[in-house]
Amino acid sequence: MLPREKYIQISLEINLFYQRIMKEHMLLIETHLPSVETALITEADSLKISMEQILSETVILANGNISEESIESHSIVTPFTLPCEEITSKLTGATINTNITMAELKLEAGTPSCTPWLEMEIDDINRRTLNLLDVIISYKKKLMEWVLNCKVFLMIYPEMLEHLIREARLYKRILNCLLDRKLPEFTLCEELDFWNNIMGEHAEFIDGMLDPTEKDLKEKARGFIARFERLVEECIKTAEKLIIQESLVATEDLRDYEIDATIGLLECKIRSVIPPILADHVLREAYHYILILNHK
């Protein structure tokens, strides 16, 4: 059972990462639906705003109650998050609460205040997030069904939508465990395979969304696809320490590639259909996976 201090700190750090990821999922869907789908766009926007509201509360509670490592990991926000939000909002017309990002950039670390009040506040955040997450998962599953049955046209790949559903389900599993004052139990290969698949799919999406003229960037993306596919295939038969190290090196290389791509998109030097916030989004997930691997 997690002691109160650990429960508070881990809950805050998990929510700071995943609440932003979830609200950006809804932003991605909102901005990639055709204008005729007004009801679906409105629903996605409403879910995005609801998650932003909870994230705003989490940020307030997190100040002084999270680790220096989590702040410095760039898994909460990167140096590119704010400009990516501003440009994406300008280009798409979608609203993004950048005040949250500015507050996160000012977060300070500290030992959690182990008060019953704060523990109850964290419980409330976790439960409300879990309830909202159920609605978000249902929305994504409904959208997936309609896309696959040609009832809705969505300008992102069905595989990407499935990718968003899997990430939401993992977050739900983590929150359920936290509410029981424990962490989810993953086998090593289960956890590594999940994130190596996620990293490989990021490379697939980047490859598919880059302009055909960006041959060098596309070739590098395909190289990452092959590396992460091999890591998934070899997890069971490879020594644990070796597969962890290989995953770390591959993810650090992907992170560096994504940093360059994010800068290129912000400076309008890369031809693609990648929204800047999506570039920062996948970069943050790489940072998050590196954080996980560094604790193995």
Side-chain angles (χ1 to χ4, degrees):
M1 185 172 179
L2 288 171
R4 180 184 289 167
E5 179 181 325
K6 277 294 179 187
Y7 169 68
I8 290 171
Q9 180 183 319
I10 292 171
S11 292
L12 287 169
E13 291 175 358
I14 287 291
N15 284 324
L16 285 172
F17 172 71
Y18 277 106
Q19 286 170 353
R20 174 172 285 278
I21 293 297
M22 292 302 116
K23 71 112 166 174
E24 288 173 350
H25 285 180
M26 303 319 297
L27 171 67
L28 184 65
I29 292 170
E30 173 191 358
T31 55
H32 285 77
L33 282 163
S35 57
V36 68
E37 299 294 349
T38 53
L40 285 172
I41 292 170
T42 299
E43 189 175 0
D45 182 58
S46 176
L47 291 170
K48 176 197 69 184
I49 292 171
S50 295
M51 189 60 79
E52 283 182 332
Q53 290 169 344
I54 298 180
L55 176 57
S56 295
E57 296 175 44
T58 302
V59 173
I60 292 170
L61 294 175
N63 199 34
N65 289 310
I66 57 175
S67 66
E68 190 72 38
E69 181 185 37
S70 68
I71 294 173
E72 293 180 350
S73 71
H74 294 313
S75 65
I76 298 172
V77 282
T78 78
F80 313 109
T81 304
L82 185 58
C84 282
E85 286 183 328
E86 290 171 342
I87 292 176
T88 299
S89 180
K90 180 180 179 181
L91 291 175
T92 66
T95 59
I96 302 175
N97 188 344
T98 55
N99 290 328
I100 298 172
T101 308
M102 288 186 278
E104 286 178 316
L105 289 167
K106 297 176 183 177
L107 280 172
E108 295 183 0
T111 303
S113 172
C114 294
T115 64
W117 173 85
L118 184 55
E119 184 179 19
M120 286 190 295
E121 289 293 307
I122 298 300
D123 271 345
D124 182 59
I125 290 282
N126 285 343
R127 292 184 193 283
R128 285 191 289 125
T129 303
L130 191 57
N131 290 337
L132 180 57
L133 197 54
D134 280 334
V135 180
I136 287 173
I137 292 171
S138 294
Y139 174 90
K140 290 174 180 175
K141 288 170 64 179
K142 172 183 70 177
L143 189 57
M144 173 65 88
E145 181 184 352
W146 289 356
V147 167
L148 293 180
N149 286 284
C150 299
K151 295 180 179 179
V152 168
F153 178 70
L154 180 66
M155 289 174 280
I156 60 175
Y157 298 117
E159 183 185 3
M160 185 182 288
L161 187 52
E162 175 58 34
H163 176 104
L164 307 187
I165 293 170
R166 277 187 280 116
E167 289 185 347
R169 284 173 171 161
L170 175 65
Y171 185 23
K172 179 179 178 179
R173 179 177 175 182
I174 295 170
L175 282 177
N176 275 318
C177 289
L178 283 172
L179 285 167
D180 288 335
R181 299 301 190 275
K182 61 184 182 182
L183 294 174
E185 296 180 0
F186 301 104
T187 65
L188 180 68
C189 276
E190 182 184 10
E191 187 167 23
L192 294 185
D193 284 357
F194 179 88
W195 284 106
N196 284 332
N197 268 313
I198 292 293
M199 295 299 113
E201 287 174 354
H202 286 173
E204 288 179 335
F205 302 148
I206 291 168
D207 178 31
M209 297 173 79
L210 285 166
D211 190 80
T213 60
E214 297 286 0
K215 297 186 185 301
D216 182 55
L217 288 173
K218 290 174 76 67
E219 183 179 350
K220 288 179 181 178
R222 289 167 191 157
F224 284 116
I225 295 167
R227 286 175 73 178
F228 284 106
E229 285 179 347
R230 181 180 59 79
L231 286 167
V232 172
E233 291 170 1
E234 293 185 356
C235 191
I236 294 175
K237 58 186 179 184
T238 305
E240 290 184 2
K241 289 185 178 179
L242 180 59
I243 199 72
I244 291 169
Q245 184 59 30
E246 288 184 357
S247 296
L248 179 58
V249 171
T251 307
E252 287 175 337
D253 289 346
L254 178 63
R255 172 205 59 195
D256 293 343
Y257 171 85
E258 290 172 344
I259 288 173
D260 290 342
T262 303
I263 293 171
L265 288 166
L266 285 172
E267 295 178 350
C268 201
K269 292 180 178 178
I270 294 176
R271 297 183 179 189
S272 77
V273 290
I274 302 172
I277 196 60
L278 179 57
D280 187 69
H281 179 99
V282 298
L283 174 58
R284 258 179 283 118
E285 291 193 7
Y287 275 122
H288 179 72
Y289 186 30
I290 290 168
L291 188 60
I292 291 172
L293 290 167
N294 281 329
H295 282 269
K296 296 298 180 186

